[in-house]
Amino acid sequence: MKTVYKKRILGIIIVFFVGFLVVTCRLGYVMIAQADKYLKLAKNLHQREREIKAPRGNIYDRNGVKIASNKAVYSISVIYSQMKEKARIVKVLSQVLQIDEEEVKKKVYKNSVREKIKSNVDKVKADRIREYKLDGVKVDEDYKRVYPFDSLASKVLGFTGGDNQGIIGLEVAYDKYLRGKSGKILTLTDGKGIEIQGAFEERDEPVPGKDLYTSLDVNLQNYITQACEKVKKEKKAKQVSMILMNPQNGEIFAMANVPEYDLNEPFVLSRKVSEKSSKKQQEYLNRKWRNTCINDTYEPGSVFKIVTAAAGLESGKVRPDDHFNCPGFRIVEDRKIRCHKTSGHGPETFKEGVMNSCNPVFMEVGARVGVDGMYDTFRKLGLFEKTGIDLPGEAGSIMHQKKNVKAVELATMSFGQSIQITPLQLLRAASAAVNGGRLITPHFGMSLVSADGKKEKVFHYPVKKNVIKKETSETMRELLEAVVSEGSGRNCRIDGFSIGGKTATSEKLPRGNGKYISSFLGFSKASRPTIMGIVLIDEPVGTYYGGTIAAPVMRNVFEIALPYLGISKDYTVDKKSE
């Protein structure tokens, strides 16, 4: 019995010792190996976290002019567990911030960790609230986006939301670089969550966003906006849009969509709209913010003849001195498709057909090239893809499926009807046609610079080379220069400068509604283009021919832009006339 008893005592001792050893090891593991973990949990239990907003990166034009920056503002919030005079807090915040008392009361009496009362509060109001020394009321520094030039390039820049995040335009396209990283303040609290006065605060500093340098030029942007506003008023047009771009590398100097809107007040509604439903109000705002140059497609009309001409020359189906005849129309299957000159141009070469913007000539060229050849050129010039511009919401082209293209569709496509593309797609295709055959990527973003002035990133964009032959491109430049010097685009002619271009007058759908888009695409120098622009006048009243009302707008812009960009005259008037 004694032996059994001894064994039991020994077993109990062993079990107790093993248990003690396990507990000791576990405590050692918790206290040593996991000390940091449980210290963090303890801190979380007795720490209050407050965010420190990071300043958003600035946006600059190509010359270093600031076009988007920040203004110091304040964010007002309340912490339920720390408030001692809730009724007084409601009254003070309501009066200073000019917010309805009931709205403030709901947030003050809500049993939550933290409730934001209002953002973007100016310094004067923030200081007044501080003077009351209200327990549980926090006044934290914040930032508000400001735009020094108000409405300039509004549909390109875009704007930010209440939390300073990008909403549309470049602000959202580059948001991940511009927004920075918020910091935080950790304050010690007691078991009830009340901050301990005089306790040490931990601070994690914010990281400012990176500055974005763009290809925009404030001076050119301002000038084309004024030019668009002037013609919009004169022609009582619905809208006027314009783009200026370097066709060699895709850098966009300016992009205007008039009417623009005030970037500092992007949500302002007109009186009529403010009385309508929230759905109608949002529809109005969406239209107001819309960038027609990239978000909308249209039938380009005769400017598209640049593409057809390139297809004809590239395929070898036409040469500049080939002869045609225009009786004022062309019969295609059962359709009689007219030229804009109903009496006809009579006998003319292909070069003269381009200068005259003659529909029957281009219908003939389209027929010679054929559906396969035309669609192959469309593909090479990027018309079946988006341009890749660094702005959100770019639209794609609307084209017939190749199998559905018959003789009539081929004929109308050849002079820019029955297809829809964006103005920027057309500008990109025309650039490839005259820059030696390189399909560039239109863009605004140039580089990123950190808050301490260090250049961190230079943006590079895809270029497709040799999409058409250099010889084809050279001939296209010569033909389009003749359009301006002697043909339908002569209203863009400027003495001393070689300019190429193409006019267009496209009827909006449905046909016969009397609404048109008048446009002109031009470039200079003709021998090596370094600036290309397109202007579109939507629904002008009265005279609506592109050569009559759109070409002069581009001429006025070029008269300023060419010398400004250092593009010198390349001939004298006397020599040109010889």
Side-chain angles (χ1 to χ4, degrees), residues 96-113:
V96 176
L97 299 176
Q98 297 179 321
I99 303 175
D100 183 71
E101 272 198 29
E102 285 301 316
E103 184 180 339
V104 177
K105 187 175 181 180
K106 287 179 183 178
K107 295 180 178 180
V108 168
Y109 283 87
K110 185 177 180 181
N111 191 352
S112 63
V113 174

Side-chain angles (χ1 to χ4, degrees), residues 55-76:
R56 192 171 176 84
N58 299 311
I59 302 178
Y60 295 88
D61 86 337
R62 67 189 303 112
N63 302 311
V65 178
K66 193 180 293 183
I67 52 180
S69 60
N70 303 299
K71 175 184 177 183
V73 291
Y74 297 84
S75 178
I76 313 299

